[in-house]
Amino acid sequence: MKIRQSAEDYLETILVLGQKKPMIRSIDVVNEMGFSKPSVSIAMKNLRENGYISMDREGYIRLEPPGREIAEMIYERHIFLADMLVSLGVDRETALEDACRIEHVISPESFEAMKRHIREQRKKAGNRGQENQERQP
């Protein structure tokens, strides 16, 4: 399931656009990503030929299961990493930019370890909060 970073970015963008509007066309991707129409057209063709997306006669884009799987993985990483960086004191804009770069290179093992660590920290914090409430009269 290893594909180029640019393809991952396109798939993630299609996923995010799909959360905002019911039907997506290449022009929506152009407007969202700020790339030229020819560049997006070539990318859509490559994604289609590799089975990541399909397009109907009207030009509406649909993520196919392999494309959706990649898009959801990248988007999960993006959101998690950005939130984690913000919680560490990084300003939101920088965190989003850094998350966009990190999401493509972090290994599945490292990402899962980070998620596990955050879950454990939250669980500990929740238990401490509960203990403090039980002590109060």
Side-chain angles (χ1 to χ4, degrees):
M1 184 169 55
K2 184 67 181 151
I3 66 170
R4 292 186 158 193
Q5 177 178 333
S6 60
E8 291 175 343
D9 285 338
Y10 278 107
L11 293 170
E12 180 183 19
T13 298
I14 293 166
L15 178 73
V16 170
L17 285 170
Q19 294 171 351
K20 297 176 186 175
K21 51 193 308 184
M23 306 296 273
I24 305 141
R25 287 189 164 158
S26 293
I27 192 64
D28 300 314
V29 177
V30 166
N31 293 334
E32 184 71 19
M33 298 183 84
F35 296 159
S36 70
K37 289 179 185 180
S39 294
V40 171
S41 179
I42 291 167
M44 294 302 109
K45 179 181 178 233
N46 290 334
L47 291 172
R48 208 173 43 252
E49 287 175 351
N50 287 297
Y52 296 120
I53 66 167
S54 59
M55 295 175 91
D56 66 17
R57 288 185 205 162
E58 289 79 35
Y60 291 109
I61 301 168
R62 187 179 84 137
L63 286 170
E64 293 299 325
R68 178 167 297 284
E69 182 179 346
I70 292 167
E72 288 175 349
M73 174 193 68
I74 294 298
Y75 187 62
E76 176 193 18
R77 289 178 177 192
H78 185 90
I79 296 301
F80 176 86
L81 292 165
D83 288 347
M84 184 185 72
L85 291 169
V86 168
S87 75
L88 294 172
V90 177
D91 73 90
R92 187 95 185 137
E93 185 175 327
T94 301
L96 289 169
E97 290 172 9
D98 288 346
C100 194
R101 287 189 289 275
I102 297 167
E103 70 193 22
H104 300 287
V105 296
I106 190 169
S107 70
E109 179 184 0
S110 293
F111 184 66
E112 288 302 317
M114 291 171 76
K115 287 192 327 186
R116 194 169 45 252
H117 175 75
I118 295 296
R119 276 194 304 268
E120 290 168 5
Q121 293 303 310
R122 287 181 180 157
K123 186 184 282 188
K124 287 179 186 176
N127 288 341
R128 281 193 298 263
Q130 188 176 11
E131 289 171 6
N132 290 339
Q133 285 180 347
E134 291 172 359
R135 290 183 193 156
Q136 292 178 356

